[in-house]
Amino acid sequence: MKTAVYLFSTVAVLTATVSCVKNGFPDSEDNRIAFYVKTTPVQSPSVKSIIEDTGTLVDGRLPIYVSDGLTNPAFSNTEVAYTKNGVWKSNVDWTDKEYSFYAYIASPIAQPTSTNGGISNILNNGSILYINQPKTYTKSEDVWADYLMSYRVKVNGADKPLVKLDFERLTSCVELYMGMGVNMSEVTVKKIEFRNVNTRAKYELKYHAVPGDNADNSGMKNIWSVMIDDSEVATYTYQPQTNIEGLLKMYDAENRFVEDNLKMRFLTVQQDVMNIELYIEYQALENGKQTDYTAVFELADYPQEIWYRGHKIRYFVGIDSSVDLEGTIEEWKTVEFIETTLLPDQI
């Protein structure tokens, strides 16, 4: 294990409001404690493992595991099942006391394999855990492990509220987009590799925030330590089945990060990119002749030094007379905090 421990905080990524709830409670005749999460309209197709919004949580009917941090807790890592109308309803009735609720969602909770990720060794009501990602890349998003932890929310049992949980993501999402310049007539991709990616890490919650805590400039609240297991490393390889995959022309910056240009997407544990390489084999049509090329990018040479938790890291590779790699880092769902850097040409 690496002795260095990274201390960072992350962002809440789920926004907006729950629907189909009357007067703040789904059923006025029901005294059971119920929960909901902030929801946002579905903007792109997603599956249960890559949770970009809570509409997917509702579709997947994933349970939440709820704890109460006060004395004589009503919940202690208690599984609460989804019911209906965007609500997770417990079997516990309200009493006139103060509560301090928090919860987590894990997908999947399973022992990992070389081809499937998993969340394991969940301790202390979800505040200590291990995340394993698969060793083999696939476009199927079902294999990637994901974990969401809520902030701590304080409520008064006498008010019997519908308890709103704000979740943050502990994984990072890495995406690679590619396109060709307007001067190129044909460019095809033969192989892409992300080399030396760490696939396993231990996470431990160091400070558990409550909604409304003062945030720093990047909107971060909870504080976690992340310890990387540097013995668990993989190369993620994408190779088109036909060995040929043409690129679309990139006419302007606005159309670069579109689904048609997406070549790879995967979830990963938070890590620095010191040893990670992006390797690309491609073929270009030049003067009527197909010519093979390779390009290697040492990600440590560029400003994105860390794949942060709760962030989507997007790379764009544009192939023209030279190869440009452009990287952006953004919060998973919002656009309030974005760093964009044009990276140097690779000849």
Side-chain angles (χ1 to χ4, degrees), residues 46-50 56 107-108 115-118 133-134 138-146 265 267:
S46 187
V47 294
K48 66 180 179 62
S49 59
I50 296 184
T56 304
S107 173
T115 56
N116 286 273
Q133 299 296 0
T138 173
K139 282 198 170 185
S140 172
E141 295 177 338
D142 290 313
V143 306
W144 306 101
D146 206 357
R265 174 192 285 140
L267 293 184

Side-chain angles (χ1 to χ4, degrees), residues 72-338:
N72 300 319
F75 295 81
S76 180
N77 205 39
T78 302
E79 181 174 329
V80 178
Y82 176 84
T83 54
K84 60 181 179 180
N85 296 337
V87 173
W88 284 256
K89 188 179 295 185
S90 74
N91 294 320
V92 179
D93 287 342
W94 284 105
T95 58
D96 293 344
K97 57 174 282 189
E98 295 292 328
Y99 298 83
S100 180
F101 289 122
Y102 58 96
Y104 69 83
I105 298 171
S107 173
I109 303 177
Q111 292 300 317
T113 67
S114 63
T115 56
N116 286 273
I119 310 296
S120 61
N121 302 99
I122 303 175
L123 304 172
N124 292 3
N125 294 328
S127 63
I128 299 175
L129 67 144
Y130 286 84
I131 298 179
N132 285 75
Q133 299 296 0
K135 294 292 186 68
T136 303
Y137 174 78
T138 173
K139 282 198 170 185
S140 172
E141 295 177 338
D142 290 313
V143 306
W144 306 101
D146 206 357
Y147 190 90
L148 289 83
M149 173 67 105
S150 79
Y151 299 141
R152 198 181 284 263
V153 56
K154 297 179 181 179
V155 298
N156 190 323
D159 298 331
K160 298 182 180 179
L162 178 58
V163 181
K164 180 178 66 177
L165 298 171
D166 296 291
F167 281 96
E168 65 176 16
R169 169 177 275 103
L170 298 195
T171 56
S172 306
C173 180
V174 177
E175 294 181 337
L176 175 66
Y177 296 77
M178 294 185 68
M180 65 177 178
V182 294
N183 297 319
M184 303 296 288
S185 59
E186 182 179 299
V187 176
T188 54
V189 177
K190 300 179 69 176
K191 179 188 279 189
I192 304 169
E193 292 181 344
F194 279 89
R195 297 171 172 174
N196 303 316
V197 178
N198 289 107
T199 62
R200 175 178 168 87
K202 177 185 178 182
Y203 289 73
E204 184 172 357
L205 187 63
K206 295 299 184 182
Y207 172 71
H208 204 167
V210 298
D213 271 359
N214 291 329
D216 62 23
N217 292 333
S218 56
M220 301 177 181
K221 295 183 179 180
N222 283 351
I223 298 176
W224 294 79
S225 69
V226 183
M227 180 171 285
I228 296 294
D229 184 346
D230 58 4
S231 68
E232 299 289 336
V233 179
T235 292
Y236 289 147
T237 302
Y238 171 61
Q239 195 163 7
Q241 293 182 349
T242 62
N243 204 36
I244 290 281
E245 186 171 291
L247 300 183
L248 301 178
K249 286 186 181 293
M250 46 179 185
Y251 293 98
D252 52 57
E254 294 182 357
N255 72 348
R256 291 181 177 182
F257 296 111
V258 296
E259 195 72 19
D260 288 342
N261 291 339
L262 179 64
K263 298 306 175 187
M264 293 182 71
R265 174 192 285 140
F266 55 90
L267 293 184
T268 180
V269 296
Q270 178 173 291
Q271 60 192 280
D272 64 50
V273 299
M274 181 176 298
N275 299 314
I276 299 178
E277 292 181 342
L278 173 59
Y279 169 85
I280 299 171
E281 293 180 7
Y282 66 97
Q283 194 174 75
L285 180 61
E286 299 174 332
N287 300 319
K289 180 182 177 181
Q290 296 286 356
T291 304
D292 292 328
Y293 292 96
T294 62
V296 180
F297 302 94
E298 304 287 345
L299 297 189
D301 293 339
Y302 304 112
Q304 292 81 5
E305 296 177 353
I306 295 172
W307 289 347
Y308 284 105
R309 295 174 296 105
H311 283 66
K312 179 178 288 185
I313 297 92
R314 286 175 160 177
Y315 295 101
F316 183 88
V317 173
I319 296 178
D320 209 320
S321 54
S322 62
V323 182
D324 297 333
L325 173 61
E326 175 187 336
T328 72
I329 299 178
E330 62 182 78
E331 292 178 357
W332 194 277
K333 203 65 180 175
T334 69
V335 293
E336 295 176 355
F337 175 68
I338 298 178

